[in-house]
Amino acid sequence: MKKASIIKFSILISIAAIFFYSFKYDSKSTNSNKPKKVIFIIGDGMGLAQISGVMSIFDGRKSFERFPVIGLMKTHSSDNYITDSGAGATVFSIGEKTYNGAIGVDKNEKAKENLFEKLKKKNWATGVVVTSSITHATPACFYAHAASRSSAEDIAEFLLQGNCDIAVGGGMQYFTNRKDKRNLFAELQAKGFVTTSDTTSNFIPQNSSKYIYTLAADGMKKILQGRGDFLKQASLNAIQNLSKNKNGYMLMIEGSQIDWGGHENNYEYMKTELLDLNDVINAVLDEAQKRDDLLVVVTSDHETGGLALNADTKDKKKFIGNYSTKGHSGIMVPVFAFGPGANEFAGVYENTEIFFKFKKLLNLK
Ligand code: MG
Ligand code: ZN
């Protein structure tokens, strides 16, 4: 080919690529505005093998394929190649690697200002919706500071500080059945929070800007035990209420039990929990597609189970999920981003970067 026709050909290819890109991903999916709303979704223990395996035999709507920007994140903690969920979520909320088991504190056990505390200085609304206890490691890192993830009763007290407007999940026992006999629900109500400890229903919709719901004594039921669409309903309800704050909001949604299925090396448990999160992500992306100020970021704190997708010797079109550990593994995890600022999340980076990307995009000090 002559030089001129090579150039013409290249231009043609570029135009075709741009056309394809804009056809598949409209401008809302990557615009360069600053986000006014952030939904951060964590699939605890959700690595690429979990996503690949479950999605490869799923006929429904695959939320992960709706994201225009993908990154890869290194998950190691300050003291361990393999992180736990305490260090794995603390790094998102304070931007520093810390020791396994830490909740919102650095490697010297010093409390560091977290994202929610920074957002409160700008009068943003904040919330967490999870399928574990609301005091469990992942959500706790967003509103509490504790040297150890096991001090759930101390972690619960941090909600009284008001840096987290909405918290929904399990964990009633840490509020009303405490060693110190305090009734944290009564104390939260005195501060204007609506509370419930109704463990008989999956979710009771709420129309309030501040509510703390614990719908189970500890973790929520599994999908396999009939949790239904709790996570989706509770997330959409939180979004509706947080949206009333005109400054902006940040909501962390966690598919907590993908990790628990991994620890049990129970593929069916993991799969049903991941499919539940897939539903939630689809619903959140439907919201994001209606507007141009909502950034959605989906990732994991680490992979759980060292899952491999091996060939099924009987049927070569199928696979068998084989686990290599009852614990976590050190493989990188994917990051998916949609909306204003999404492009920031492309590339390969340390888990500390998630915090700094949010900090930059949200103009936090
Ligand atoms: Mg978790
Ligand atoms: Zn775990």
Side-chain angles (χ1 to χ4, degrees):
M1 244 191 282
K2 277 185 199 150
K3 205 174 177 185
S5 43
I6 289 172
I7 291 168
K8 272 185 213 156
F9 183 70
S10 318
I11 290 171
L12 203 67
I13 291 288
S14 310
I15 291 170
I18 290 164
F19 180 76
F20 174 76
Y21 187 82
S22 48
F23 172 74
K24 189 163 185 203
Y25 303 113
D26 61 38
S27 63
K28 287 191 171 113
S29 65
T30 55
N31 73 63
S32 55
N33 297 350
K34 290 269 182 173
K36 295 278 285 176
K37 301 168 170 64
V38 177
I39 300 180
F40 184 34
I41 302 179
I42 301 174
D44 197 317
M46 183 178 75
L48 201 49
Q50 283 79 1
I51 296 171
S52 309
V54 173
M55 288 294 124
S56 69
I57 51 161
F58 179 58
D59 289 332
R61 203 169 173 213
K62 298 174 185 178
S63 65
F64 302 97
E65 297 183 13
R66 298 173 64 188
F67 289 90
V69 178
I70 313 298
L72 284 173
M73 189 183 80
K74 304 173 196 177
T75 64
H76 325 297
S77 63
S78 71
D79 66 345
N80 209 308
Y81 191 83
I82 315 288
T83 190
D84 86 315
S85 296
T90 294
V91 76
F92 297 148
S93 83
I94 71 167
E96 284 185 45
K97 286 190 187 270
T98 186
Y99 60 92
N100 286 359
I103 301 295
V105 296
D106 69 10
K107 54 187 176 190
N108 302 311
E109 299 189 6
K110 190 172 182 295
K112 287 289 174 75
E113 190 174 54
N114 61 37
L115 282 176
F116 280 14
E117 287 159 351
K118 289 181 188 297
L119 288 168
K120 277 295 164 195
K121 288 186 176 164
K122 296 177 41 139
N123 295 314
W124 278 39
T126 54
V128 297
V129 179
V130 302
T131 57
S132 60
S133 157
I134 56 176
T135 57
H136 210 261
T138 312
C141 292
F142 287 83
Y143 64 81
H145 304 279
S148 165
R149 59 181 290 172
S150 62
S151 49
E153 293 186 0
D154 298 340
I155 288 167
E157 290 170 33
F158 278 88
L159 287 167
L160 290 162
Q161 295 185 0
N163 290 319
C164 182
D165 300 303
I166 292 175
V168 184
M172 182 185 57
Q173 61 179 338
Y174 309 114
F175 293 80
T176 57
N177 191 18
R178 300 163 54 87
K179 287 192 201 86
D180 61 9
K181 304 290 177 204
R182 277 168 73 182
N183 180 343
L184 291 196
F185 283 150
E187 294 181 38
L188 282 162
Q189 284 161 18
K191 289 183 178 284
F193 285 93
V194 175
T195 66
T196 187
S197 47
D198 181 345
T199 55
T200 59
S201 78
N202 271 337
F203 182 65
I204 314 128
Q206 181 51 250
N207 184 17
S208 164
S209 58
K210 289 166 71 171
Y211 59 98
I212 309 293
Y213 270 20
T214 55
L215 301 162
D218 199 351
M220 296 290 293
K221 276 189 249 189
K222 303 171 183 177
I223 285 288
L224 291 168
Q225 293 168 326
R227 195 175 72 232
D229 63 353
F230 154 78
L231 191 59
K232 183 164 84 181
Q233 294 308 329
S235 298
L236 291 174
N237 193 245
I239 291 166
Q240 207 182 356
N241 285 302
L242 293 168
S243 301
K244 291 175 191 159
N245 185 316
K246 297 298 164 213
N247 299 313
Y249 72 79
M250 181 170 195
L251 172 64
M252 192 286 287
I253 301 170
E254 187 197 20
S256 320
Q257 299 192 31
I258 297 167
D259 175 66
W260 301 356
H263 283 293
E264 284 185 18
N265 287 181
N266 181 337
Y267 191 87
E268 193 60 22
Y269 184 6
M270 180 281 291
K271 180 180 107 178
T272 48
E273 296 295 333
L274 195 147
L275 286 173
D276 179 49
L277 192 66
N278 179 64
D279 264 354
V280 175
I281 301 169
N282 271 323
V284 165
L285 287 177
D286 290 345
E287 282 295 310
Q289 247 165 350
K290 289 183 212 152
R291 40 193 332 125
D292 58 10
D293 61 354
L294 170 56
L295 169 66
V296 182
V297 178
V298 179
T299 189
S300 180
D301 45 0
H302 54 74
E303 193 271 350
T304 305
L307 181 65
L309 307 180
N310 296 124
D312 183 328
T313 45
K314 290 189 213 93
D315 183 345
K316 292 214 164 62
K317 284 186 169 171
K318 290 185 179 161
F319 69 89
I320 295 174
N322 281 319
Y323 289 96
S324 60
T325 173
K326 292 265 182 186
H328 302 161
S329 80
I331 194 169
M332 288 193 284
V333 294
V335 181
F336 304 86
F338 182 107
N343 287 329
E344 285 284 327
F345 293 85
V348 179
Y349 43 84
E350 291 287 346
N351 51 7
T352 41
E353 289 304 305
I354 297 284
F355 169 89
F356 291 104
K357 292 174 193 303
F358 283 141
K359 188 167 176 250
K360 178 181 165 191
L361 288 168
L362 305 178
N363 296 320
L364 300 176
K365 294 208 178 79

